[in-house]
Amino acid sequence: MRKYLVPLLVFAAVAACLFLFPDPALAAPGGKIASGLFRSTPGKIFLTLLVLIFLPLILYVQITESIAVRRTLRDLRQLAGTHDAFDWLQLKERVTESFHRVHAAWRKEDMYEASQWMTDWYWQNQQLAYLDQWERDGLVNHCRVKKINNIRPLFVRYRNNQGDLEGSRLVVSITAEMEDYLAERQSGKVVQGKPGYTDVEAVWTLVFEHGRWLVANIEEGSLSLQYAKLVNELTAPVGAAGSPRPA
């Protein structure tokens, strides 16, 4: 049985991840097309089987992430006592606006329009690595956001070496109802993904630069557990200024 243990565990982890998280994002910002795996009837049947088989693992992930969200909200309240930039209500508004601005620029295939909401490296990377390449290949990504369903803070890192919070970092999980597929520009033929709205989860990382929070990375929702298991960093490095007050 031992020789089958590792393959079984790998299969369990992969299958549970497929169930646990909404369709992985994105060919919208981030570059990966939402799969739509569970939209069909066979997919829904498969999903039900996964629930029955992997319920303990599913519960473990959900509990771990719930604990991380509560912990991060608590730590943000502590940091907000010293710096307004960590106030969760303001942060949530910033994340929401960033989400819509970045996707609007993505639809126009011009990420420069969102350059005030992203780090210089990241918006240029998205433009060159995906949008420009798809244009050369005669492809276009159809990406429309209907609404944001949930924003959950998973991890926060406090930095204040120069008293300006530069380098502080926030990781959030965003679940939104959206349409996301890749098609040929001329014929409209779908080459990846599927038309229609579905819940899609992505992990967004924001960094504090030049007095504001900017999008620095967008990753698949399946990575949310990895961030949830990290320990928040609330203490500035030795020698840094402006350490937050203890809770």
Side-chain angles (χ1 to χ4, degrees), residues 44-69:
K44 292 177 181 178
I45 295 174
F46 179 59
L47 177 61
T48 302
L49 292 174
L50 287 180
V51 173
L52 296 175
I53 296 172
F54 300 112
L55 184 59
L57 183 57
I58 291 168
L59 292 175
Y60 164 74
V61 175
Q62 291 181 334
I63 292 171
T64 301
E65 293 191 0
S66 294
I67 292 172
V69 170

Side-chain angles (χ1 to χ4, degrees), residues 82-83 86 157-168 235-237 239-244:
T82 304
H83 304 285
F86 292 98
R157 172 184 292 161
Y158 170 80
R159 291 291 183 268
N160 202 21
N161 294 336
Q162 305 299 324
D164 52 12
L165 304 182
E166 289 284 307
S168 293
T235 304
S243 296

Side-chain angles (χ1 to χ4, degrees), residues 19 22 37 40 63 78 96 114 125 135 138 184 190 192 216:
F19 163 74
L37 175 63
S40 63
I63 292 171
Q78 176 186 338
T96 300
N125 169 272
E135 184 176 11
E184 294 179 355
V190 177
Q192 192 174 353

Side-chain angles (χ1 to χ4, degrees), residues 66-81 86 88 153 156 231-232 234 245 247:
S66 294
I67 292 172
V69 170
R70 291 198 298 269
R71 180 177 63 242
T72 304
L73 286 172
R74 179 200 66 205
D75 292 343
L76 285 170
R77 285 194 296 271
Q78 176 186 338
L79 291 168
F86 292 98
W88 174 239
V156 61
V231 178
N232 291 334
L234 305 185
R245 293 191 299 266

Side-chain angles (χ1 to χ4, degrees), residues 2 9 31 35 49 77 87 122 167 170 174 182 184 193 212 226-227:
R2 289 183 180 180
L9 288 175
S35 69
L49 292 174
R77 285 194 296 271
D87 178 80
Y122 197 62
L170 175 72
I174 305 176
L182 198 64
E184 294 179 355
R212 57 191 173 183
Q226 295 185 24
Y227 286 105

